[in-house]
Amino acid sequence: RFLFSRQSLPGRYFYDYDREALNHLLDSLSGIKVLDIWKTSDLREDQSSRWYNVLIRKASEEEEEW
């Protein structure tokens, strides 16, 4: 089971994914190469959220063949 939710604030939209759902999403996308995934803490004092950050780039033709 994959867990994700959608949130919005005025002018901002977010999708919150657990790691399994994030992996499923990334695996479903073609033409990208995941370079790194890391987790950070929310810097606001009144928040205790943790965030996944993903660094991706467009895959080369050779990488897309794999």
Side-chain angles (χ1 to χ4, degrees):
R1 179 175 166 210
F2 305 122
L3 299 175
F4 71 94
S5 64
R6 182 172 45 184
Q7 299 181 37
S8 64
L9 297 171
R12 300 172 66 191
Y13 302 91
F14 303 89
Y15 286 89
D16 299 322
Y17 292 88
D18 66 9
R19 182 58 190 256
E20 187 176 3
L22 179 60
N23 288 342
H24 183 71
L25 171 67
L26 294 171
D27 289 344
S28 72
L29 301 174
S30 61
I32 66 164
K33 169 120 176 106
V34 177
L35 302 176
D36 197 7
I37 299 175
W38 69 99
K39 205 170 190 181
T40 56
S41 297
D42 197 316
L43 296 177
R44 297 172 293 179
E45 290 183 19
D46 61 335
Q47 298 291 319
S48 62
S49 300
R50 304 262 304 154
W51 303 91
Y52 281 110
N53 303 271
V54 182
L55 180 62
I56 61 173
R57 68 169 170 77
K58 182 178 178 181
S60 68
E61 288 182 20
E62 295 83 23
E63 291 168 327
E64 285 192 51
E65 293 176 4
W66 291 99

